[in-house]
Amino acid sequence: MIEIPSHKLPADLLTSVIEEFINRDGTDYGDREVSLKEKIEHARIKISQGDVILTFDQETESCNLLSKNDFIEITQKL
C-alpha cells in the first residue's frame, strides 16, 4: 500500500476518487441526510488537514481513503 499525495492529483480526479469511495463504502451521518456534495467536501477537508490519507493498494489495484492512524498501523505491519 502506498500513499498518493493528494495535491499531485488534478482536482477533478481527486473528486472522482472521493466520490467512488463514498459510493462504494457508504457513510452513516445519523439522522441528518447529507448530500454527496457535502460528503465530498468533508472528505476534502479531512484530506487537506492530514487526517485522511489517499492510498493505492497494489494487490487490489484500488484507491482508498484511510484515517492517518489506520494508514500508520497498516504500513507498520507490512
Side-chain angles (χ1 to χ4, degrees):
M1 178 179 303
I2 59 172
E3 180 178 355
I4 300 171
S6 60
H7 66 277
K8 292 192 175 187
L9 294 179
D12 59 335
L13 179 56
L14 179 59
T15 298
S16 294
V17 170
I18 293 169
E19 184 176 346
E20 192 277 331
F21 177 82
I22 290 169
N23 287 329
R24 176 177 15 127
D25 288 343
T27 52
D28 184 9
Y29 286 81
D31 294 334
R32 183 171 94 78
E33 283 293 319
V34 179
S35 71
L36 179 59
K37 184 177 178 179
E38 288 175 293
K39 291 176 186 178
I40 291 170
E41 185 58 29
H42 179 76
R44 280 185 174 281
I45 291 168
K46 290 296 188 182
I47 291 168
S48 69
Q49 292 173 338
D51 297 331
V52 171
I53 307 287
L54 178 60
T55 66
F56 179 74
D57 185 333
Q58 296 161 324
E59 287 183 26
T60 63
E61 297 183 351
S62 63
C63 290
N64 287 300
L65 301 177
L66 296 175
S67 72
K68 183 177 182 178
N69 292 337
D70 286 347
F71 178 74
I72 291 169
E73 184 178 315
I74 289 168
T75 55
Q76 286 178 347
K77 291 179 182 178
L78 299 177

